[in-house]
Amino acid sequence: MIRQRTPFDCGIASFATALQLTYEQTLHLFAPQADLVGTTAIDTANALTQLGIPNQYVTFPEFYTQIGRPGNPCNPEIVRGCPAILTILSRSGYGLHAVYWDGHQAHDPDPRYPEPRALESLILLEAVFVSKTPALCAKSGALLQGFEGVSA
């Protein structure tokens, strides 16, 4: 796991871990000073696209709760078995945080939290699927489980 170096570079560290890149290689894929101001899930999707890596961006119910409007969220269960960079609510509950999801556990780039976390312990807001999209995970029913109100 690549560890954060600043309070705002969790997205860079999670991206580096997901793609098995160095921190420095990853930093060059994002906007100047991204390590000091942070990145977004859309920045992550754009960086993957620029590298020619197919990706998919999805939102979850808590995303719409946080922005105070209705939406069309995916079921959080869609991430099971599918590697992704997740945007979660920070442990304090007042900010956003990026973690690498290996398909089974979340790996936090914050050096204060070295232990992997279970899906149930996360408040998911967004995901950018990295090496598998939900469509590629369809064999497990994740494609249909990803939509509210649709059973597999």
Side-chain angles (χ1 to χ4, degrees), residues 128-147:
V128 177
F129 291 96
V130 179
S131 63
K132 295 181 183 178
T133 65
L136 295 176
C137 295
K139 66 182 181 301
S140 68
L143 178 64
L144 294 178
Q145 291 174 11
F147 298 98

Side-chain angles (χ1 to χ4, degrees), residues 67-86:
I67 64 171
R69 64 172 289 262
N72 184 25
C74 288
N75 182 323
E77 291 295 317
I78 195 172
V79 303
R80 292 202 191 272
C82 299
I85 297 169
L86 305 177

Side-chain angles (χ1 to χ4, degrees), residues 62 66 87-90 117 119-126:
E62 188 62 26
Q66 292 296 315
T87 304
I88 62 172
L89 202 57
S90 68
R117 296 171 66 186
L119 182 62
E120 296 76 21
S121 72
L122 306 172
I123 299 174
L124 297 180
L125 302 172
E126 306 165 295

